[in-house]
Structures are given as structure tokens and as C-alpha cells.
Amino acid sequence: DEEKFIKGRWSPQEDQALQHGVSRLMVRCPWGLIVKSIDGRSGIQAQARWSEALDPQVRRGKWSLREDRLLFEGVEKHARCWIRIADGIPGRTQRQCRTRW
């Protein structure tokens, strides 16, 4: 049987459950296990929500000149392989790099 997942905004309760699950289980994060406490969300949704909105290690807001330079250098070196580019810019995600570019 096919699971139905919620689309759209996450509620504060879902964010709290996700943060709790990650803090409890984060080693090699088993996203499918973490979402067992969040009805209607998939592991892929949880991983995206964590990395794009809740992870305290992710920098948000305005990019510095240094980050812009690293982005430019990353694109020169890795073309548009965003995972490799993001690895060279501490605190920035693949999506942030792709969007900034």
C-alpha cells in the first residue's frame, strides 16, 4: 500500500519532533527511523527540512565576500557539482550554493 505524505509547511510540533529525533539518533542519521514519530512525513522530507531549516551548523542570511569567492572557485573547480562545492564552503548547503549561483 502506498503511503500518503504531507506536503507544504512544517508545523512547530513537527519541527520539534524532528529536532528531538535528530538529537537522539544522529550518528549516521536514519531518517526513516526519525520520521516514525512524525506522521505523514518521509525520510527525504525530514532530511531536507533538517539540512535547510533546522540544522544549527548551517549559516543563514547574507553571504560574505569570502563565501562568494569560495563559491566562484568551487564552480570553476567542480563545474556544478553542488555537493562538492558546498563541502568547500563551511556552513553552506548544496541548495544554498546552487541558489546563490
Side-chain angles (χ1 to χ4, degrees):
D1 76 273
E2 194 173 311
E3 291 187 59
K4 301 269 186 204
F5 294 110
I6 299 168
K7 294 184 179 179
R9 290 187 178 264
W10 284 61
S11 71
Q13 294 81 10
E14 290 172 320
D15 283 348
Q16 187 176 21
L18 180 57
Q19 288 169 320
H20 176 72
V22 170
S23 69
R24 236 177 4 102
L25 299 169
M26 187 67 129
V27 176
R28 286 192 173 242
C29 206
W31 295 107
L33 182 59
I34 288 170
V35 294
K36 288 189 182 294
S37 65
I38 307 170
D39 290 337
R41 296 295 186 172
S42 71
I44 291 169
Q45 287 176 310
Q47 188 275 332
R49 178 67 177 169
W50 176 258
S51 65
E52 297 301 328
L54 301 175
D55 186 345
Q57 295 181 14
V58 172
R59 274 183 49 89
R60 290 163 183 64
K62 190 173 181 177
W63 283 59
S64 69
L65 292 175
R66 179 177 181 274
E67 289 173 319
D68 280 339
R69 182 178 44 78
L70 290 171
L71 177 62
F72 183 81
E73 290 170 0
V75 170
E76 280 189 331
K77 184 175 182 179
H78 303 292
R80 292 201 170 130
C81 183
W82 302 113
I83 191 167
R84 288 187 178 157
I85 294 166
D87 281 345
I89 307 172
R92 294 295 185 177
T93 68
Q94 298 171 50
R95 178 179 278 170
Q96 287 173 319
C97 292
R98 186 181 69 236
T99 301
R100 179 68 173 173
W101 186 253

